[in-house]
């Protein structure tokens, strides 16, 4: 009598805890967002992919939207490393192209979906305005400006947070005010060439230029 073939036994799953389990959950949630967007993000699906149960999710996030916000922040974190093309124009244009690509991609749809799902809940909307992520983006833009100053492409007076945030604010305005699905590359070049670079270069000239009153005082001396 032939012996029944035994199925290979699977090794028992290692019990994950703490940061390891949280990482697995966020990774699974990010996969769902990238593949299918916010509507497909359910606690059941994320738990299945992460190889855990829903209780583990609910102990960390009160609902699927809060989990989605955390997963989106994980996805967005990869976009903060500044480029180094060797020129201020090249770096700025690359940064704008990255942001434009992100906002017009499924990631942008994810963000809009999360904003809609959060509704008027102040806590969730505050999570979407993650200060840590904003600080990372600001630091990246300041790094780009700092390299330009070090190369002699810009005066030290240009190294200012308000100057650094100008290109991204103008790009965001194209989406918010005009409602466009994506911003043409020609518009990105206009932001850099017609607004940002003149602003940066003007900072040094303004600092070196004597005031009109000082000129009049010297003329009357």
């Amino acid at each position: 009598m032939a012996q029944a073939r035994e199925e290979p036994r699977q090794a028992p799953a290692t019990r994950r805890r703490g940061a390891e389990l949280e990482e697995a959950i966020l990774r699974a949630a990010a996969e769902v967002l990238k593949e299918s967007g916010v509507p497909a993000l359910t606690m059941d699906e994320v738990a299945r992919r992460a190889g855990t149960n829903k209780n583990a999710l609910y102990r960390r996030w009160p609902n699927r939207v809060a989990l989605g916000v955390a997963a989106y922040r994980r996805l967005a974190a990869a976009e903060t490393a500044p480029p180094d093309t060797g020129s201020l124009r090249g770096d700025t244009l690359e940064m704008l192209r990255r942001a434009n690509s992100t906002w017009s991609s499924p990631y942008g749809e994810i963000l809009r979906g999360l904003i809609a799902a959060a509704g008027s809940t102040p806590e969730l909307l505050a999570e979407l305005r993650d200060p840590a992520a904003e600080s990372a983006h600001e630091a990246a833009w300041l790094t780009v400006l700092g390299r330009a100053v070090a190369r002699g492409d810009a005066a030290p007076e240009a190294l200012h947070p308000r100057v650094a945030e100008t290109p991204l604010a103008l790009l965001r305005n194209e989406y918010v005010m005009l409602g466009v699905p994506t911003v043409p590359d020609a518009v990105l070049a206009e932001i850099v060439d017609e607004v940002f670079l003149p602003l940066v270069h003007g900072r040094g000239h303004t600092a070196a230029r004597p005031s009109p009153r000082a000129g009049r005082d010297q003329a009357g001396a």
Side-chain angles (χ1 to χ4, degrees):
M1 180 175 176
Q3 292 183 342
R5 187 176 61 183
E6 293 185 2
E7 295 293 331
R9 295 182 179 179
Q10 294 183 342
T14 303
R15 187 176 180 84
R16 296 164 299 172
R17 299 178 182 273
E20 183 183 3
L21 177 57
E22 184 168 317
E23 173 68 15
I25 295 170
L26 287 174
R27 184 167 56 248
E31 289 174 357
V32 175
L33 288 176
K34 287 191 294 183
E35 292 172 9
S36 308
V38 176
L41 185 73
T42 66
M43 297 302 232
D44 285 313
E45 176 60 15
V46 174
R48 184 188 69 80
R49 292 196 184 209
T52 187
N53 56 65
K54 289 193 296 184
N55 290 337
L57 277 62
Y58 281 114
R59 283 196 295 270
R60 293 164 172 81
W61 299 279
N63 51 58
R64 75 182 191 96
V65 178
L67 172 58
V69 170
Y72 176 80
R73 284 164 55 181
R74 172 193 174 94
L75 291 172
E79 298 297 317
T80 59
D84 190 0
T85 66
S87 74
L88 178 58
R89 184 183 189 278
D91 288 350
T92 306
L93 199 52
E94 175 61 22
M95 292 278 281
L96 284 180
R97 283 169 175 161
R98 286 184 187 178
N100 190 41
S101 177
T102 297
W103 292 350
S104 62
S105 74
Y107 290 174
E109 294 179 10
I110 289 169
L111 179 58
R112 290 190 289 274
L114 287 171
I115 291 173
S120 58
T121 307
E123 295 82 4
L124 293 176
L125 291 174
E127 285 293 321
L128 285 171
R129 294 189 297 269
D130 176 27
E134 292 174 2
S135 296
H137 282 288
E138 180 180 299
W141 281 94
L142 286 172
T143 297
V144 165
L145 269 178
R147 288 173 179 165
V149 171
R151 289 192 302 263
D153 295 341
E157 291 80 9
L159 194 58
H160 190 284
R162 292 293 185 187
V163 176
E165 70 185 12
T166 298
L168 204 57
L170 292 174
L171 177 60
R172 186 182 297 114
N173 185 69
E174 295 287 323
Y175 281 94
V176 174
M177 301 304 294
L178 302 181
V180 297
T182 186
V183 177
D185 201 68
V187 175
L188 304 184
E190 284 183 359
I191 291 174
V192 175
D193 295 331
E194 305 299 330
V195 181
F196 183 62
L197 292 181
L199 172 62
V200 169
H201 296 147
R203 295 281 294 183
H205 293 157
T206 301
R209 186 185 305 128
S211 68
R213 180 179 179 85
R216 289 195 299 270
D217 290 344
Q218 291 177 357

